[in-house]
Amino acid sequence: MITAVVLDIEGTTSPTSAVREDLYGYTRERLPRWLAEGGDAADEVLADTRRLAGRPDADPAEVAEILRGWLGSDVKAAPLKAAQGVICAQGFRSGALHGEFFPDVEPALRAWHAAGLRLYVYSSGSERNQRDWFEFARGGELGSLIRGYFDLASAGPKRERGSYEVIAKAIDVPGPQILFLSDHADELDAAVAAGWSAVGVRREGEPNPARPPHRWVESFAAVAPR
């Protein structure tokens, strides 16, 4: 019996283009100034980026270019995700950014929540970005439906079995009672290896292909957790 559903965001609940064009674009434009202005969060990002890039003497402008390069290559680096979380938080609160969702997502989440299922999110984006994505969803907030959020820092890489074991322990739900929805077959593989149930979500226009042996759906309306 399924008692918890864990959701991927990019390509699953939301268009990849919305994440990479809106959030990435907003971050890319504002990185240099944010790093130059400093502050605790920016100073930590500067230090972590210099260490990861092997550029201990890089000034803020150079660090901004390193982070922009990682952003363009979709590198899942912790300092990049941290910077994006802080920068985009301002955009969500100013009304410049909104969470964008496929039309079948909201009714499914509301139905599952009403049925007593516990809903969680696991994405490579920072927990802060995830919370804002759901709270500031276009058309009305969805954050009140979500019990918790997990990212690369709190759970680990999305293609590793151990990350799913960390989440199961954190939410105190046995693996067989958790359903994971994602558009990426490697992530589904890792979830199944951890004992979870998993369903692939294949959206029209999204880049990741469906792959056996997983079941794949084109809409959340075709998912009936039980």
Side-chain angles (χ1 to χ4, degrees):
M1 178 180 177
I2 298 300
T3 61
V5 179
V6 178
L7 308 159
D8 170 54
I9 294 179
E10 191 173 326
T12 302
T13 67
S14 307
T16 297
S17 59
V19 176
R20 299 195 179 184
E21 293 173 13
D22 297 350
L23 263 63
Y24 286 19
Y26 193 89
T27 303
R28 184 179 293 106
E29 180 181 343
R30 288 161 177 78
L31 262 172
R33 180 175 178 179
W34 181 75
L35 289 170
E37 289 176 347
D40 290 345
D43 290 346
E44 186 172 347
V45 167
L46 286 167
D48 289 347
T49 304
R50 288 168 178 147
R51 177 178 53 79
L52 286 176
R55 302 266 294 279
D57 298 322
D59 64 21
E62 292 175 287
V63 170
E65 288 310 304
I66 292 169
L67 291 173
R68 281 173 157 180
W70 290 349
L71 198 59
S73 302
D74 198 26
V75 174
K76 313 297 187 184
L80 173 59
K81 297 301 180 181
Q84 186 173 332
V86 176
I87 292 170
C88 289
Q90 302 166 1
F92 281 111
R93 284 155 183 78
S94 71
L97 294 173
H98 295 277
E100 305 286 354
F101 293 83
F102 292 112
D104 57 274
V105 172
E106 179 179 353
L109 297 188
R110 293 196 181 281
W112 297 343
H113 182 267
L117 289 169
R118 297 162 60 179
L119 306 180
Y120 299 90
V121 176
Y122 178 29
S123 172
S124 60
S126 70
E127 287 188 28
R128 186 169 190 172
N129 268 174
Q130 295 175 32
R131 291 178 186 278
D132 287 344
W133 192 256
F134 281 78
E135 181 177 348
F136 296 96
R138 191 180 298 279
E141 72 86 27
L142 298 176
S144 58
L145 305 177
I146 308 300
R147 292 280 292 266
Y149 301 83
F150 296 90
D151 61 12
L152 304 183
S154 61
K158 296 188 72 183
R159 303 184 191 184
E160 294 185 7
R161 168 182 176 172
S163 302
Y164 299 85
E165 294 172 340
V166 166
I167 293 173
K169 183 176 181 180
I171 66 177
D172 194 25
V173 177
Q177 295 182 21
I178 305 173
L179 173 64
F180 180 51
L181 302 179
S182 173
D183 69 321
H184 204 298
D186 289 348
E187 297 175 4
L188 301 175
D189 289 344
V192 169
W196 294 21
S197 296
V199 173
V201 183
R202 181 72 181 101
R203 304 285 191 176
E204 184 177 353
E206 291 295 323
N208 292 326
R211 191 188 73 202
H214 307 290
R215 176 191 170 212
W216 293 82
V217 299
E218 296 181 351
S219 167
F220 277 19
V223 179
R226 59 179 182 270

